[in-house]
Amino acid sequence: MKKLADLVIKLGNVDRRWIFIIIAIVVMYPLFKPLGLPIRPTESSQEVYAAIEALPEGSKVLLSCEYGPSTKPEIHPMAVGVLRHLFENGHQVYVTCLWPDGQFMAREALEQVAENEYNRTYGEDYVLLGFRPGNEAVIKGIVSDIRKMYTIDSRGIPIDDIPMMNGVKNILDLDFIFSASAGYPGTVEWVQLAADPTGIPMSTGVTSIQVNEVMPYVDAGQIKGILAGMPGAAEYEALLGKTGIATSGMDAQSIAHIVIVLFIIFGNIAFYLERQRSKKTF
Amino acid sequence: MFWKRQIPIAIVALIGTITLFGWFTDQPTIKSFVDDDATQWYDILASFAIFLGALNLLKLQMQKIIKQKSGWQYSIFAILGFLIAFTAGFLMRGAYTVDIKSAGETPQAVAQVLADETGKTVQESEIILGLIEAENSPMSLEKVHWRGKSVNDVANKLANSGAEVEIKPEDWGAHLTKKDSFFNWMFFKIFTPLSATMFALLAFLVASAAYRAFRIRNFEATLLLVSGIIIMLGRVPIGSKISSWFVLYILVLLVTIMVNTWKNSRILTFGTLGIGLLLVTIAGVSMGWPIDKPGFAYLPTLQDWIYLVPNIAGARAIMIGIGLGVFATSIRYIFGIERSYIGE
């Protein structure tokens, strides 16, 4: 028994590089050999789906991309999923970016979905307005007068030359907002400065770490549902019936979480044994 | 002193008051100022702030190199990265394409050059050239060239074969996101992998930290640990595969450990364990062992409850606190009590 306790205590102080190797293996294995674990759409993800589904055909939807390469695995599948849903239902999409890297992410998502999958026309079915500096001021500008904020789009085309911008003066001319957000400025600013004051319905997709901050708005009905982290993205893919990168990532995340929980339990057993031993020594 | 102290304080007080009360009035001039003019001022200032930030970054990194402070070698990479990105963004367009306006008198020769350049067959290239002539509309070659010389070579080849061509540089600004442009290539091939790698390292650090630091030291730490485990397992698909009965058996075991630690009595310990196991087993048999019942022991349901009840309560409390803090600070600015922005 003493030998076992010694071994557990010794493993409790194992070099962290061993932990890194174990995590690397358990994360990589399901990516190469998917386990096909079932995805259970939560109520909040279903709410996002239902909100977009309820929009009448030809609605004007603003998609704001506030994420970059670091949070791409979590947020990008949401942006892609929402774009698929919007184009499937025949809506027009106006894309803005509050983060400079968001413009690159948005272009990639639009290229994948609008151009390659749905063959939509730029300027008629979708437009990438692009990034503007100013954080909250950009949102206020879009709420007040979109032309004062954007004179040209991301391709350098004057706003007035874009057919789908005809009749769009400010956010009141749009029907829905979706914020794909990884932090500040993002969802919270959109709900405080755009959705709530104007009454335009809004949904969001955020990183797991942001969910705590955004949940009160969802609970209060100010935001219609939330896609929470990679699980939220995978749930949306399941609701759309089109599996993608988020679904395959969930297997890896499942196993990684199990291993981390096992680490925590094992670490605590080692900690308990060590503490008992030090008590006896005194 | 008047210009450096009283005037800035007066400006802040006036603009702060107008901006604050702009929310409570329908007066068109004030509304227009708050919604449009002030917003645009902010945008202009924010644009200049980016330049100031960049200059500040350069200054700090240069100082670090000159004074050879600890880790000064990294500053060289920071400055080099900045200069390359600056050059790619402001000085080098890095996005040129060739437009074919007409195949001219020798379409076969043009088709051959086009096939060499695009990787398409000569027959496909002839069809494309036919379409250009039929529709009388120029066609852009898909390939984006980074340098003017490279695009000139292609244009010359096509022109020599008899085609009417035009070199089309991408507009400044749009060149940043043009697919296959130099800046775009840098973003996706250098910045994206580096940024993703940095973020991915978190997974390893979290695992290592969880192993070493997530310890049951007191009641609060235990609560945090148990909630953390429930969220981690409840959020992922594998959590929905863990039966609520398994969780109940674990719960019985934990209660037994607590009783043993508290009373240190064998009879009480084994009594708690036996009764607990028996009760769970009887309940399980009578209910037919459904995986998600009882709901309070099913991990996805439990994590939903944690998100929706204790989490929202805590988050709201924090938000109200922040809101009051922001309001108090704003009032301090408006009344000129807070003067840190003028260095006091």
Side-chain angles (χ1 to χ4, degrees), chain B residues 81-135:
Chain B
F82 176 85
L83 291 178
I84 292 169
F86 184 87
T87 309
F90 288 96
L91 307 175
M92 181 182 165
R93 201 186 298 255
Y96 300 91
T97 45
V98 177
D99 271 11
I100 302 178
K101 289 181 162 178
S102 160
E105 303 295 317
T106 51
Q108 287 87 356
V110 178
Q112 184 61 55
V113 177
L114 192 60
D116 293 343
E117 285 304 318
T118 58
K120 290 185 167 68
T121 62
V122 177
Q123 285 79 11
E124 284 170 335
S125 303
E126 280 176 344
I127 293 169
I128 294 168
L129 292 174
L131 282 172
I132 294 172
E133 295 298 330
E135 294 177 7

Side-chain angles (χ1 to χ4, degrees), chain B residues 117 147-160 167:
Chain B
E117 285 304 318
R147 293 178 306 132
K149 185 185 176 305
S150 158
V151 77
N152 273 331
D153 291 346
V154 177
N156 287 339
K157 270 189 213 168
L158 284 163
N160 291 340
I167 293 171

Side-chain angles (χ1 to χ4, degrees), chain A residues 19-265:
Chain A
I19 298 169
F20 294 165
I21 289 170
I22 294 169
I23 287 290
I25 292 168
V26 300
V27 167
M28 278 194 290
Y29 181 77
L31 290 176
F32 290 111
K33 271 190 167 276
L35 307 174
L37 291 165
I39 307 289
R40 178 190 68 101
T42 55
E43 212 174 295
S44 56
S45 300
Q46 287 175 358
E47 221 177 305
V48 176
Y49 183 85
I52 293 179
E53 197 63 21
L55 293 170
E57 196 182 334
S59 294
K60 298 176 193 304
V61 178
L62 185 137
L63 169 70
S64 189
C65 292
E66 289 97 39
Y67 64 98
S70 60
T71 44
K72 191 179 171 190
E74 276 189 288
I75 310 292
H76 198 66
M78 297 176 192
V80 168
V82 167
L83 279 174
R84 280 181 180 148
H85 198 179
L86 293 171
F87 288 128
E88 189 77 47
N89 291 3
H91 302 307
Q92 289 182 310
V93 185
Y94 300 77
V95 185
T96 58
C97 313
L98 299 181
W99 290 24
D101 5 11
Q103 186 165 318
F104 293 88
M105 301 290 110
R107 195 185 56 73
E108 199 182 329
L110 286 169
E111 192 184 295
Q112 182 191 334
V113 183
E115 291 173 24
N116 298 341
E117 291 179 19
Y118 287 88
N119 204 19
R120 300 287 157 165
T121 312
Y122 187 85
E124 289 176 17
D125 302 307
Y126 69 99
V127 62
L128 175 56
L129 294 169
F131 165 74
R132 291 288 179 278
N135 306 337
E136 291 97 333
V138 176
I139 302 176
K140 281 216 71 158
I142 293 169
V143 169
S144 166
D145 186 350
I146 217 163
R147 278 172 177 73
K148 284 193 178 168
M149 191 52 59
Y150 292 95
T151 48
I152 53 167
D153 71 350
S154 65
R155 295 185 180 187
I157 304 170
I159 290 292
D160 290 327
D161 293 349
I162 299 170
M164 65 188 284
M165 291 305 293
N166 286 340
V168 177
K169 184 182 183 295
N170 57 33
I171 202 134
L172 290 170
D173 298 312
L174 304 176
D175 303 299
F176 193 77
I177 302 167
F178 186 89
S179 164
S181 158
Y184 170 83
T187 301
V188 173
E189 287 67 36
W190 275 109
V191 71
Q192 286 179 349
L193 297 163
D196 216 31
T198 58
I200 307 285
M202 172 183 169
S203 283
T204 187
V206 298
T207 53
S208 293
I209 207 161
Q210 268 187 287
V211 179
N212 294 355
E213 187 191 0
V214 178
M215 271 316 263
Y217 297 102
V218 180
D219 188 55
Q222 291 162 292
I223 298 177
K224 306 214 171 299
I226 180 173
L227 301 179
M230 195 188 270
E235 288 162 20
Y236 206 75
E237 286 178 354
L239 286 164
L240 287 172
K242 286 180 182 171
T243 52
I245 190 80
T247 308
S248 52
M250 283 318 294
D251 284 345
Q253 203 175 43
S254 285
I255 302 300
H257 280 199
I258 287 274
V259 170
I260 290 175
V261 167
L262 291 176
F263 275 149
I264 292 171
I265 294 169

Side-chain angles (χ1 to χ4, degrees), chain B residues 40-220:
Chain B
Q40 287 193 22
W41 289 5
Y42 186 91
D43 286 337
I44 294 163
L45 287 172
S47 305
F48 278 102
I50 290 177
F51 280 102
L52 284 177
L55 289 175
N56 196 37
L57 175 127
L58 274 181
K59 186 184 144 194
L60 289 174
Q61 301 297 333
M62 292 289 263
Q63 278 176 349
K64 211 169 170 185
I65 294 170
I66 291 163
K67 292 179 183 169
Q68 299 216 335
K69 287 182 183 170
S70 150
W72 62 273
Q73 296 88 340
Y74 300 115
S75 298
I76 298 173
F77 287 96
I79 291 174
L80 277 178
F82 176 85
L83 291 178
I84 292 169
F86 184 87
T87 309
F90 288 96
L91 307 175
M92 181 182 165
R93 201 186 298 255
Y96 300 91
T97 45
V98 177
D99 271 11
I100 302 178
K101 289 181 162 178
S102 160
E105 303 295 317
T106 51
Q108 287 87 356
V110 178
Q112 184 61 55
V113 177
L114 192 60
D116 293 343
E117 285 304 318
T118 58
K120 290 185 167 68
T121 62
V122 177
Q123 285 79 11
E124 284 170 335
S125 303
E126 280 176 344
I127 293 169
I128 294 168
L129 292 174
L131 282 172
I132 294 172
E133 295 298 330
E135 294 177 7
N136 198 21
S137 89
M139 188 206 77
S140 271
L141 292 191
E142 279 175 16
K143 191 176 176 191
V144 174
H145 296 263
W146 292 356
R147 293 178 306 132
K149 185 185 176 305
S150 158
V151 77
N152 273 331
D153 291 346
V154 177
N156 287 339
K157 270 189 213 168
L158 284 163
N160 291 340
S161 67
E164 191 186 334
V165 293
E166 184 188 4
I167 293 171
K168 206 176 159 194
E170 193 64 35
D171 287 340
W172 285 106
H175 74 292
L176 299 175
T177 51
K178 173 80 181 169
K179 194 187 172 196
D180 298 333
S181 72
F182 181 59
F183 194 91
N184 198 64
W185 179 87
M186 279 203 334
F187 185 88
F188 282 106
K189 303 293 181 192
I190 300 175
F191 180 68
T192 299
L194 286 175
S195 187
T197 305
M198 287 302 290
F199 203 67
L201 286 177
L202 272 181
F204 297 92
L205 296 174
V206 165
S208 171
Y211 191 49
R212 288 161 193 286
F214 230 170
R215 297 282 194 252
I216 303 177
R217 289 174 206 277
N218 50 38
F219 176 70
E220 288 85 354

